[in-house]
C-alpha cells in the first residue's frame, strides 16, 4: 500500500497516519523489555539468523534478519504466529509498538508471536542509506514526478550494486523463503501467518512456496499476486460509495453535490496549470509547482481510513476556490521524502504487473478520478531496471485450502472491496469478517476483531461475521 519512499512515508505522514519508528536496532540478542502501545511493557526476546541476500547468486553476501519473539503464556503453545507487515517497507517490530500491541498480547495466550522485520526493513535493513536528495525539486505533476523517481532509482541501483549489494534479491519470493528459514530457525514444524496489505501479498507467496509448513492464516486488506498496481476503475466504484455517504449530512451534500466530479475538476485544472506553492527545501524557502497528480497522491492516502477520508470535501472545496493552504504540509513532507529507500521500490518492481492488467490500468486511468496515482511509483518505474520481474508464474492465483480468516473494511480505499474479492476467491476454507465503515487498518478498528483473531488462532471455528462502526462525519 503504500507506495515506496515518498508516497508511503511522506504522504502518510501528511495525512496524519502513524509511521512506526524502529527503536530496537541497538538492542542486543536475547531477553529485553519491549515497550508497546501507550507505554505498556512486556518481556520479549530479540533474535536473528542469516540468509543469502540473493539465493540465486552464490557470490551474494549474507545478511542478518532480525525478529522479536513474544513468548506464549500457554503450557502447550500452538505453532508460532508470524506477523507480516505491510508496505512493502513496514516493520513488524515497529507495528507492534502501535495499536496492534494489545492484539499481540492476547494472541500470546495460545502461541508465540513473532514480529519479523522483513529483509530491507527495520533492523533487517542492510541497504546503505543514500545521501538526501539534493534537488532541484521536480514539478509535482505526473511527468515531473515520474522522471524524478526513475532517475533517482537508476542512480541508487547503480550505487548499491557497485557497493556489493545484491539488489535483485529484494523480492517477495525471497522474502517468502526467509519466512521458511525463520520457521526452521525457530525449530517449528509449522507456523501460522498474520498479515495485512502487502503482508497478505507476501503471505500468498509463502502459501505458494511453503504451504505445507503453514497451519493457519489470518489476513486483512488483501493484496493479490497481480495487485501491486490496483485498478483505477475499482477506485472509482469506491469513490461513488463515498459520495453516497455525503447524503447523510444535508449541509455537506449541498456544498458538494458531486464529490468525484469536484475531484476531477480540481485535478484536471491543476495538472494543466500547476499552482505555485512556497515550501522549505534543504532549509531554504523554495517555490514548488504543484499539479493535479500531487493532489491525487494525497487523496490516495486520505482514502485509506475513515479518520482521514472525512477531510476530502473540505480539501477539494478549498482547492477549487484556489486556496492551497490545505496541501502545504503535504508538499513539505513530499520534498523531504524525495529519496529512494531501496526495498519498497525493488519489491514492487519484482512483483510487477501482468501485461493484461497493465493494459486495463492504462485504459481505466485515462478517465478515473485518481488516474494511476494510487500506486505511484508503480507502474511508473517499469523498465528502469531490467530483469527483476518475477514473471507470470509468481502472479498466478492458487487454490488455498488452509483454514483462513479474512478481514476487510468497507471504507478501505487502498485495497477496495472489489479487489479483495478477487483474492478471497482463492481461499476454499475461509471465514470472512467485514467491518462496516472500517478502513485499511481494520485489525484495530473494531474491538471484536481481536476476539475473533484469538479464537481463530486457538483453532476454533469462526463463522462469517459482520461488524459495524458509526459512519464517518465529513467536514466542510
Amino acid at each position: 500500500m503504500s507506495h515506496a519512499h515518498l508516497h508511503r512515508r511522506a504522504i502518510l505522514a501528511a495525512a496524519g497516519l502513524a509511521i512506526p519508528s524502529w527503536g530496537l536496532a541497538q538492542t542486543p540478542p536475547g531477553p529485553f523489555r519491549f515497550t508497546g502501545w501507550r507505554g505498556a511493557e512486556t518481556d520479549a526476546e530479540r533474535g536473528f539468523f542469516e540468509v543469502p541476500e540473493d539465493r540465486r547468486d552464490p557470490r551474494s553476501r549474507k545478511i542478518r534478519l532480525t525478529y522479536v519473539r513474544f513468548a506464549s503464556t500457554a503450557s502447550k503453545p500452538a505453532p508460532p504466529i508470524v506477523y507480516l507487515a505491510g508496505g512493502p517497507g513496514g516493520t513488524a517490530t515497529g507495528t507492534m509498538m502501535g495499536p496492534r500491541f494489545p492484539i499481540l498480547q492476547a494472541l500470546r495466550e495460545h502461541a508465540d508471536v513473532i514480529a519479523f522485520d522483513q529483509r530491507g526493513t527495520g533492523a533487517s535493513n542492510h541497504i546503505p542509506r543514500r545521501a538526501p536528495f539534493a534537488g532541484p525539486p521536480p514539478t509535482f505533476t505526473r511527468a515531473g514526478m515520474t522522471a524524478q523517481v526513475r532517475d533517482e532509482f537508476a542512480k541508487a541501483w547503480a550505487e548499491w550494486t557497485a557497493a556489493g549489494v545484491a539488489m535483485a534479491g529484494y523480492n517477495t519470493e525471497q522474502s517468502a523463503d526467509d519466512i521458511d528459514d525463520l520457521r526452521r530457525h525457530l525449530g517449528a514444524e509449522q507456523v501460522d501467518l498474520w498479515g495485512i496489505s502487502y503482508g497478505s501479498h507476501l503471505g500468498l507467496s509463502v502459501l505458494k512456496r511453503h504451504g505445507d509448513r503453514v497451519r493457519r492464516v489470518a489476513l486483512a486488506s488483501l493484496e493479490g499476486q497481480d495487485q501491486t498496481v490496483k485498478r483505477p476503475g475499482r477506485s472509482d466504484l469506491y469513490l461513488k460509495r463515498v459520495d453516497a455517504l455525503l447524503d447523510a449530512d444535508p449541509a455537506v451534500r449541498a456544498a458538494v453535490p458531486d464529490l468525484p466530479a469536484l475531484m476531477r475538476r480540481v485535478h484536471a485544472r491543476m495538472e494543466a496549470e500547476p499552482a505555485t506553492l512556497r515550501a522549505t527545501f534543504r532549509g531554504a524557502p523554495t517555490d514548488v509547482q504543484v499539479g493535479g497528480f500531487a493532489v491525487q497522491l494525497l487523496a490516495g492516502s486520505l482514502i485509506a481510513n475513515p479518520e482521514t477520508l472525512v477531510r476530502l470535501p473540505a480539501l477539494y472545496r478549498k482547492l477549487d476556490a484556489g486556496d492551497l493552504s490545505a496541501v502545504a504540509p503535504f508538499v513539505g513532507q513530499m520534498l523531504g521524502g524525495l529519496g529512494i529507500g531501496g526495498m519498497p521500490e525493488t519489491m514492487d518492481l519484482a512483483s510487477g504487473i501482468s501485461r493484461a492488467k497493465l493494459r486495463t490500468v492504462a485504459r481505466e486511468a485515462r478517465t478515473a478520478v485518481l488516474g494511476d496515482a494510487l500506486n505511484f511509483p508503480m507502474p511508473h518505474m517499469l523498465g528502469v531496471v531490467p530483469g527483476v520481474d518475477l514473471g507470470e508464474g509468481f502472479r498466478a492465483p492458487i487454490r488455498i485450502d488452509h483454514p483462513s480468516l479474512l478481514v476487510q473494511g468497507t471504507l478501505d480505499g487502498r485495497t477496495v472491496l472489489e479487489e479483495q474479492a478477487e483474492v478471497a476467491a482463492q481461499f476454499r476454507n475461509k471465514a470472512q469478517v467485514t467491518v462496516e465503515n472500517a478502513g485499511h487498518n481494520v485489525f484495530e478498528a473494531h474491538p471484536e476483531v481481536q476476539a475473533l483473531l484469538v479464537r481463530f488462532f486457538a483453532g476454533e471455528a469462526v463463522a462469517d461475521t459482520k461488524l459495524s462502526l458509526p459512519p464517518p462525519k465529513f467536514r466542510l
Side-chain angles (χ1 to χ4, degrees), residues 83-100:
Y83 181 78
L84 306 178
T91 69
T93 46
T95 299
M96 292 310 155
M97 295 175 183
R100 276 170 217 161

Side-chain angles (χ1 to χ4, degrees), residues 114-152:
I114 310 297
F116 173 56
D117 280 354
Q118 300 159 31
R119 56 171 57 210
T121 73
S124 298
N125 187 8
H126 303 284
I127 302 173
R129 181 173 295 181
R130 301 180 72 231
F133 176 72
T139 300
F140 285 164
T141 60
R142 186 183 187 280
M145 296 186 71
T146 298
Q148 187 273 335
V149 74
R150 289 178 66 89
D151 181 63
E152 280 297 299

Side-chain angles (χ1 to χ4, degrees), residues 323-393:
D323 181 356
L324 297 177
S325 61
V327 300
F330 155 74
V331 172
Q333 292 284 346
M334 288 192 72
L335 285 170
L338 286 173
I340 297 292
M343 182 273 196
E345 302 90 348
T346 308
M347 287 285 181
D348 278 352
L349 274 175
S351 291
I353 181 172
S354 66
R355 292 182 180 179
K357 178 77 172 288
L358 183 59
R359 289 193 295 269
T360 299
V361 168
R363 182 182 70 252
E364 293 180 354
R366 288 194 287 269
T367 57
V369 175
L370 298 180
D372 62 359
L374 188 67
N375 304 286
F376 184 80
M378 279 288 289
H380 313 78
M381 286 207 313
L382 286 176
V384 174
V385 178
V388 298
D389 190 290
L390 290 171
E392 296 307 310

Side-chain angles (χ1 to χ4, degrees), residues 267-331:
H267 299 156
R269 187 187 74 237
M270 292 185 64
E271 190 71 359
E273 299 179 8
T276 301
L277 191 145
R278 177 60 62 96
T280 300
F281 180 61
R282 290 183 292 169
T286 304
D287 285 338
V288 181
Q289 299 298 304
V290 181
F293 189 73
V295 181
Q296 289 173 317
L297 289 176
L298 176 56
S301 287
L302 293 176
I303 64 176
N305 292 291
E307 58 265 31
T308 50
L309 172 67
V310 296
R311 304 181 195 176
L312 278 189
L315 168 68
Y316 279 90
R317 288 188 71 214
K318 287 184 177 180
L319 291 174
D320 198 39
D323 181 356
L324 297 177
S325 61
V327 300
F330 155 74
V331 172

